[in-house]
Amino acid sequence: MTSRAYPTQHRDHRPHTMQDTRIIRLGEAGLDDRLTRLRDGAIAVAGRRRVGPAWRLLVDALPPREAGPVLFARDPAGVSAIVGRRLWPEASVTAHHMDAWEAHIASRNLATNDSDDVEIALTSDLPPGPFRLIAIPFPARAESLYGRELIERAHDALVDKGRLIASTDGSPSWLRRVVKEVFGRADLQGTSRSGAVVSARRTRSDQRVRDHDHLVRFSRGDRELELLTRPGVFSPGRLDPGTKALLGAFTASPGELVLDLGCGIGALGLAAAVDADPAGITMVDSNARAVAVAAANAERNGLEAASTVLRADLEELPVGVHRALANPPYFSHGRIAAAFARAAASALRADGVLHMVVKAVDLHRDLLRSFFEEVRVEAVASYSVLHARGPRSAPTQG
Ligand SMILES: C[S@@+](CC[C@H](N)C(=O)[O-])C[C@H]1O[C@@H](n2cnc3c(N)ncnc32)[C@H](O)[C@@H]1O
């Protein structure tokens, strides 16, 4: 562990001077990066972005002493786990990740901050424990059903009298209500303009995890497919309208190899498996729960020829593929669509085709033109499906 001075313009009169502040460096952090001061200035995080309020509040609420075992979840950059390791050098610390890319980033940050003995659990569900302390942020923008499930699973993973610390950057009412329903009580530990912290101890011996899974059905050819959806995987409880638009805009031919990029529950890849039976379908996602659900859905529908792979960065995908399918997330402003287009251009045969469903047609058409010779736009309901052919061997950046 390091304790070193760090130059800053943000001098103030808090209890800790920068001379005794411990620095956590994220990514390729340099002297021009932003500093977020945590725990009254005892810790400062240097990174490209400031640490979000839900994570700041969580870290500030961690107890100074804890024997462990401790579990952190929803910690994409690994900041909470690094702080935990510094506060409690003797405790066993586990960090749960559902997304392989986030797990990769967090493990790199843990390594560069002398915390590589934190165990990373890249799994569909929270590890079962038992833990003495579980700390999780609940940002207001996050999916509430998955949030509820996290609170229930955290309850069941705690030892008797074990403690949950939960933070939010929104109003505490939802968090407080759900923690109270699950734990029997919820203590509002602090509120501020940035959000609030709620904590509770396990006093109930029964298991609190409820079933939040749902089934969705759709037909493909003469088959009726029944797919499981889970909180934390795209579009829980229903088939996304963008997915439906893309389902109606392609048909795979028998014998084809198909790649479903960002497969979620596997609706697109499994529809292709019905069309192309018995060819090879590969469904890839960075979300461990998505991959597990897509695999379960292949089995549930007797489509085991469709296989799943978990990848942090779309690495090591099959080549010589006839058809690639993609419904990229809208929130990423084309960043993930670009990663999908690059992966498709490398995986497809010269006569292969990528079908991508989007909302922002101009942005994505221009993007695909930098990876493919020809891009055709088809309007489907309120979406556009882009059909891209002729992968460029060395794609240019648009
Ligand atoms: C909008 S959802 C579509 C899911 C599914 N194809 C559907 O239509 O229902 C996008 C999916 O891409 C996945 N994803 C995002 N970034 C990814 C990446 N870099 N590598 C692999 N999958 C990624 C997400 O986890 C999510 O499941």
Side-chain angles (χ1 to χ4, degrees), residues 234 243 260-264 268 284-287 290 311-312 314 327-329 336 340:
F234 176 68
T243 309
D260 181 356
L261 292 159
C263 63
L268 299 169
V284 59
D285 208 290
S286 57
N287 177 318
R311 294 285 183 266
L314 300 168
N327 175 11
I336 296 171
F340 286 176

Side-chain angles (χ1 to χ4, degrees), residues 72-287:
F72 291 98
R74 227 188 222 153
D75 185 21
V79 171
S80 320
I82 296 168
V83 173
R85 165 51 65 242
R86 290 190 177 186
L87 288 174
W88 322 303
E90 307 301 325
S92 131
V93 176
T94 302
H96 173 254
H97 290 271
M98 208 152 73
D99 187 88
W101 176 250
E102 290 182 356
H104 166 75
I105 297 293
S107 71
R108 195 186 61 189
N109 287 333
L110 287 162
T112 52
N113 290 281
D114 303 312
S115 305
D116 36 12
D117 59 341
V118 168
E119 187 185 332
I120 294 225
L122 173 60
T123 49
S124 275
D125 294 300
L126 282 191
F131 298 99
R132 285 173 46 93
L133 173 67
I134 299 181
I136 312 178
F138 292 83
R141 63 166 201 284
E143 183 200 328
S144 60
L145 193 58
Y146 181 55
R148 183 179 183 100
E149 189 206 295
L150 273 177
I151 292 168
E152 292 170 355
R153 286 192 185 273
H155 174 276
D156 293 0
L158 282 166
V159 294
D160 183 38
K161 306 285 187 299
R163 186 170 170 216
L164 169 73
I165 300 181
S167 63
T168 179
D169 52 11
S171 141
S173 51
W174 176 87
L175 187 57
R176 206 175 175 187
R177 177 174 55 78
V178 178
V179 171
K180 186 159 188 230
E181 280 168 20
V182 174
F183 281 75
R185 64 173 295 167
D187 299 322
L188 192 57
Q189 217 178 299
T191 50
S192 70
R193 271 185 308 153
S194 322
V197 174
V198 172
S199 87
R201 287 194 186 273
R202 177 173 183 176
T203 53
R204 292 172 156 167
S205 54
D206 60 326
Q207 302 284 300
R208 307 296 294 171
V209 171
R210 299 288 169 265
D211 182 6
H212 301 293
D213 302 355
H214 285 93
L215 291 174
V216 296
R217 294 180 182 80
F218 66 96
S219 48
R220 185 78 175 176
D222 55 6
R223 288 280 312 270
E224 176 87 359
L225 297 183
E226 183 182 79
L227 303 193
L228 178 74
T229 73
R230 291 194 67 190
V233 180
F234 176 68
S235 198
R238 66 175 198 149
L239 203 57
D240 168 62
T243 309
K244 283 188 193 159
L246 185 46
L247 280 171
F250 80 90
T251 310
S253 304
E256 281 186 351
L257 300 178
V258 179
L259 182 58
D260 181 356
L261 292 159
C263 63
I265 62 169
L268 299 169
L270 294 175
V274 172
D275 297 346
D277 185 48
I281 313 289
T282 305
M283 303 188 284
V284 59
D285 208 290
S286 57
N287 177 318

